[in-house]
Amino acid sequence: MNLYIRYFDKEALVYSADEAIDFLCAIPEIGMNPQIEADVRDYASSDVFFPKRYKVRPRVYFIMIKTEAATMLDFKQKKALRSNNSQGNSQQDRRETTTTAVSRLNEEKHGWYEGVLDFKRVILVPSTGKHEYRDTHFVARCKALSGIDCYNRIVDHLRDRVDSRSQFPSAKGKSFRFKYLGMWK
Protein backbone atom coordinates (compact mmCIF):
# COMPACT_ATOMS: atom_id res chain seq x y z
CA MET A 1 0.00 0.00 0.00
CA ASN A 2 1.39 3.40 -1.00
CA LEU A 3 0.84 6.76 0.70
CA TYR A 4 -0.11 10.06 -0.90
CA ILE A 5 0.90 13.06 1.23
CA ARG A 6 -0.04 16.69 0.63
CA TYR A 7 0.82 19.88 2.49
CA PHE A 8 -0.47 22.92 0.58
CA ASP A 9 1.27 22.71 -2.83
CA LYS A 10 3.87 20.12 -1.73
CA GLU A 11 2.81 16.57 -2.48
CA ALA A 12 4.36 13.15 -2.86
CA LEU A 13 3.46 9.54 -3.50
CA VAL A 14 5.67 7.35 -1.32
CA TYR A 15 5.98 3.59 -1.01
CA SER A 16 6.73 3.18 2.71
CA ALA A 17 6.36 4.89 6.08
CA ASP A 18 10.10 5.71 6.10
CA GLU A 19 9.80 7.58 2.79
CA ALA A 20 6.75 9.44 4.16
CA ILE A 21 8.71 10.50 7.24
CA ASP A 22 11.65 11.63 5.07
CA PHE A 23 9.28 13.73 2.92
CA LEU A 24 7.69 15.32 6.01
CA CYS A 25 11.10 16.03 7.60
CA ALA A 26 12.02 18.02 4.48
CA ILE A 27 9.17 20.46 5.24
CA PRO A 28 10.32 22.66 8.17
CA GLU A 29 6.84 24.09 8.96
CA ILE A 30 5.56 20.65 9.96
CA GLY A 31 8.04 20.27 12.81
CA MET A 32 8.45 16.51 12.72
CA ASN A 33 8.61 14.92 16.16
CA PRO A 34 8.57 11.34 17.51
CA GLN A 35 4.82 11.48 18.11
CA ILE A 36 4.01 12.35 14.47
CA GLU A 37 6.55 9.78 13.30
CA ALA A 38 4.93 7.03 15.40
CA ASP A 39 1.47 8.08 14.21
CA VAL A 40 2.54 7.95 10.54
CA ARG A 41 3.98 4.45 11.05
CA ASP A 42 0.79 3.30 12.81
CA TYR A 43 -1.40 4.67 10.02
CA ALA A 44 0.75 3.06 7.32
CA SER A 45 0.64 -0.36 9.01
CA SER A 46 -3.05 -0.26 9.98
CA ASP A 47 -5.90 -1.55 7.84
CA VAL A 48 -7.69 1.82 7.99
CA PHE A 49 -8.27 3.26 4.51
CA PHE A 50 -9.81 6.60 5.42
CA PRO A 51 -7.67 9.68 4.75
CA LYS A 52 -5.74 10.87 7.80
CA ARG A 53 -5.40 14.54 8.66
CA TYR A 54 -2.60 15.83 10.91
CA LYS A 55 -2.75 19.21 12.59
CA VAL A 56 0.37 21.34 12.12
CA ARG A 57 -1.02 24.47 13.80
CA PRO A 58 -4.52 25.96 14.13
CA ARG A 59 -6.42 25.49 10.85
CA VAL A 60 -3.32 24.12 9.06
CA TYR A 61 -3.10 20.40 8.28
CA PHE A 62 -1.34 17.91 6.07
CA ILE A 63 -3.14 14.83 4.79
CA MET A 64 -2.19 11.24 4.08
CA ILE A 65 -4.19 8.89 1.87
CA LYS A 66 -3.57 5.19 1.35
CA THR A 67 -3.64 4.17 -2.28
CA GLU A 68 -2.76 1.30 -4.58
CA ALA A 69 -1.61 3.74 -7.27
CA ALA A 70 1.91 3.06 -8.52
CA THR A 71 2.53 6.58 -9.82
CA MET A 72 1.31 10.08 -9.06
CA LEU A 73 -0.44 10.17 -12.45
CA ASP A 74 -2.37 6.99 -11.62
CA PHE A 75 -3.38 8.50 -8.29
CA LYS A 76 -4.53 11.77 -9.89
CA GLN A 77 -6.54 9.89 -12.53
CA LYS A 78 -8.03 7.61 -9.86
CA LYS A 79 -6.92 4.48 -11.67
CA ALA A 80 -6.10 2.59 -8.47
CA LEU A 81 -9.44 2.70 -6.72
CA ARG A 82 -9.94 -0.19 -4.34
CA SER A 83 -12.39 -2.84 -5.41
CA ASN A 84 -15.15 -4.12 -3.13
CA ASN A 85 -13.21 -7.33 -2.47
CA SER A 86 -10.21 -5.48 -1.06
CA GLN A 87 -12.31 -3.48 1.40
CA GLY A 88 -12.48 -6.45 3.69
CA ASN A 89 -15.33 -8.15 5.42
CA SER A 90 -15.88 -5.38 7.99
CA GLN A 91 -17.83 -3.18 5.56
CA GLN A 92 -19.80 -6.18 4.32
CA ASP A 93 -20.53 -7.16 7.94
CA ARG A 94 -21.81 -3.63 8.65
CA ARG A 95 -24.11 -3.83 5.61
CA GLU A 96 -25.43 -7.21 6.75
CA THR A 97 -26.02 -5.88 10.29
CA THR A 98 -27.94 -2.91 8.87
CA THR A 99 -29.94 -5.22 6.63
CA THR A 100 -30.81 -7.51 9.52
CA ALA A 101 -31.85 -4.55 11.70
CA VAL A 102 -34.18 -3.25 8.99
CA SER A 103 -35.53 -6.72 8.23
CA ARG A 104 -36.05 -7.30 11.97
CA LEU A 105 -38.06 -4.06 12.09
CA ASN A 106 -40.30 -5.22 9.22
CA GLU A 107 -40.59 -8.85 10.32
CA GLU A 108 -44.25 -9.68 10.94
CA LYS A 109 -44.74 -11.25 14.35
CA HIS A 110 -48.17 -10.62 15.86
CA GLY A 111 -48.19 -9.97 19.59
CA TRP A 112 -47.19 -7.62 22.39
CA TYR A 113 -44.24 -5.28 21.90
CA GLU A 114 -42.40 -2.95 24.21
CA GLY A 115 -41.22 0.12 22.34
CA VAL A 116 -38.73 2.69 23.67
CA LEU A 117 -38.61 6.06 21.92
CA ASP A 118 -36.32 9.00 22.68
CA PHE A 119 -37.60 12.17 21.05
CA LYS A 120 -37.43 15.98 21.24
CA ARG A 121 -40.56 17.28 22.93
CA VAL A 122 -41.62 20.95 22.82
CA ILE A 123 -42.38 22.21 26.34
CA LEU A 124 -43.67 25.61 27.48
CA VAL A 125 -41.42 27.20 30.11
CA PRO A 126 -43.88 29.05 32.41
CA SER A 127 -41.31 31.50 33.81
CA THR A 128 -40.34 32.87 30.38
CA GLY A 129 -43.45 32.05 28.36
CA LYS A 130 -41.21 30.55 25.65
CA HIS A 131 -41.01 27.03 24.30
CA GLU A 132 -37.95 24.78 24.35
CA TYR A 133 -37.01 21.30 23.17
CA ARG A 134 -36.51 18.67 25.86
CA ASP A 135 -35.17 15.17 25.39
CA THR A 136 -37.99 12.83 26.37
CA HIS A 137 -37.77 9.09 27.01
CA PHE A 138 -41.06 7.27 26.33
CA VAL A 139 -41.75 3.57 26.92
CA ALA A 140 -44.98 1.84 25.90
CA ARG A 141 -46.33 -1.66 25.55
CA CYS A 142 -48.77 -2.24 22.75
CA LYS A 143 -50.27 -4.86 20.49
CA ALA A 144 -48.65 -4.71 17.09
CA LEU A 145 -47.97 -6.72 13.96
CA SER A 146 -44.25 -5.86 13.68
CA GLY A 147 -41.56 -3.54 15.04
CA ILE A 148 -42.46 -0.81 12.55
CA ASP A 149 -46.14 -1.15 13.48
CA CYS A 150 -45.15 -0.71 17.14
CA TYR A 151 -43.23 2.46 16.21
CA ASN A 152 -46.16 3.84 14.19
CA ARG A 153 -48.63 3.18 17.02
CA ILE A 154 -46.40 4.92 19.57
CA VAL A 155 -45.83 7.96 17.33
CA ASP A 156 -49.55 8.19 16.47
CA HIS A 157 -50.37 8.09 20.19
CA LEU A 158 -47.82 10.83 20.98
CA ARG A 159 -48.79 13.12 18.07
CA ASP A 160 -52.22 13.60 19.66
CA ARG A 161 -50.73 14.40 23.07
CA VAL A 162 -47.65 16.57 22.52
CA ASP A 163 -47.00 19.86 20.74
CA SER A 164 -47.01 19.47 16.95
CA ARG A 165 -43.48 20.93 16.78
CA SER A 166 -42.05 17.94 18.66
CA GLN A 167 -39.53 15.93 16.66
CA PHE A 168 -39.73 12.14 16.36
CA PRO A 169 -36.72 10.08 15.25
CA SER A 170 -36.64 7.53 12.47
CA ALA A 171 -37.69 4.00 13.35
CA LYS A 172 -34.39 2.80 11.85
CA GLY A 173 -32.23 4.98 14.12
CA LYS A 174 -30.75 4.43 17.55
CA SER A 175 -33.48 6.44 19.26
CA PHE A 176 -36.09 3.72 18.78
CA ARG A 177 -35.78 0.22 20.21
CA PHE A 178 -38.36 -2.50 20.55
CA LYS A 179 -38.70 -5.90 22.11
CA TYR A 180 -41.15 -8.64 21.24
CA LEU A 181 -42.91 -9.76 24.44
CA GLY A 182 -45.03 -12.61 23.13
CA MET A 183 -48.33 -13.55 21.47
CA TRP A 184 -51.53 -11.84 22.48
CA LYS A 185 -54.47 -13.84 23.82
Side-chain angles (χ1 to χ4, degrees), residues 120-124 131 133 162-168:
K120 300 277 187 192
R121 183 177 184 179
V122 174
I123 304 277
L124 175 67
H131 293 82
Y133 285 101
V162 298
D163 192 293
S164 63
R165 294 172 288 182
S166 297
Q167 297 174 355
F168 298 102

Side-chain angles (χ1 to χ4, degrees), residues 6-42:
R6 187 178 76 219
Y7 178 73
F8 290 104
D9 61 342
K10 298 175 179 99
E11 62 184 0
L13 183 72
V14 296
Y15 306 100
S16 69
D18 291 328
E19 290 179 20
I21 291 166
D22 290 342
F23 173 75
L24 294 170
C25 285
I27 304 171
E29 301 97 57
I30 290 180
M32 255 328 251
N33 59 40
Q35 182 182 2
I36 294 175
E37 183 177 335
D39 204 26
V40 168
R41 289 185 193 282
D42 287 344

Side-chain angles (χ1 to χ4, degrees), residues 153-185:
R153 287 175 186 256
I154 290 171
V155 170
D156 288 343
H157 172 80
L158 289 171
R159 282 197 200 280
D160 296 337
R161 289 163 178 79
V162 298
D163 192 293
S164 63
R165 294 172 288 182
S166 297
Q167 297 174 355
F168 298 102
S170 167
K172 298 174 189 173
K174 294 179 182 178
S175 297
F176 174 68
R177 296 173 303 287
F178 69 93
K179 181 170 43 173
Y180 178 72
L181 301 174
M183 286 294 293
W184 61 55
K185 294 184 180 184

Side-chain angles (χ1 to χ4, degrees), residues 117-123 133-138 162:
L117 184 70
D118 297 319
F119 69 102
K120 300 277 187 192
R121 183 177 184 179
V122 174
I123 304 277
Y133 285 101
R134 290 237 178 108
D135 290 330
T136 306
H137 183 77
F138 185 79
V162 298

Side-chain angles (χ1 to χ4, degrees), residues 43 47-52 64-66 82 91 94:
Y43 176 71
D47 58 352
V48 174
F49 284 91
F50 293 108
K52 181 89 173 173
M64 290 181 63
I65 301 172
K66 285 188 178 179
R82 292 177 31 229
Q91 194 172 35
R94 268 187 260 129

